[in-house]
């Protein structure tokens, strides 16, 4: 096991500041499990297993995850027009 903690990973989160349930305490992630397949052996190399993506993929609903942020630029939706339709592309 590692003796020192991993550095924070930066992800973009496309959800409102109020969270999924409007409490401000939840969010939804869309995460792809990061694995590396050696092109010669055609086998997965566990030494190159994605740390954060696998941690998140192995988590169960209700598990605690430390979050920090925001970092960089922040996009907040205007509150004066709540019925506005937005299309966001990433």
């Amino acid at each position: 096991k590692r003796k020192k903690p991993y550095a924070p990973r930066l992800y973009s989160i496309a959800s409102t500041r109020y969270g999924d349930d409007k409490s401000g305490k939840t969010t939804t992630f869309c995460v792809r499990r990061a694995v590396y397949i050696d092109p010669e052996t055609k086998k997965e190399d566990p030494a190159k297993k994605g740390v954060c993506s696998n941690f998140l993929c192995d988590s169960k609903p209700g598990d605690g995850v430390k979050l920090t942020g925001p970092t960089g630029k922040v996009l907040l939706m205007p509150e004066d027009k709540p019925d506005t339709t937005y299309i966001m592309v990433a």
Side-chain angles (χ1 to χ4, degrees), residues 11-15 20 26-31 56 65-67:
Y11 288 86
S12 294
I13 301 174
S15 63
D20 298 326
T26 63
T27 192
T28 297
F29 292 98
C30 179
V31 179
L56 292 172
V65 177
K66 274 189 186 179
L67 298 177

Side-chain angles (χ1 to χ4, degrees), residues 2 11 14 18-19 39-40 45 54-55 58-59 62-65 70 87:
R2 257 179 91 92
Y11 288 86
Y18 304 110
E40 291 180 14
D45 183 349
N54 281 282
F55 170 80
D58 292 339
S59 296
D63 285 354
V65 177
I87 299 174

Side-chain angles (χ1 to χ4, degrees), residues 1 3 10 21 25 27-28 31 34 39 46 50-51 77-78 84 87 89:
K1 288 260 181 181
K3 292 185 180 178
L10 299 180
D21 64 359
K25 297 180 181 179
T27 192
T28 297
V31 179
V51 174
M77 298 297 133
T84 302
I87 299 174
V89 180

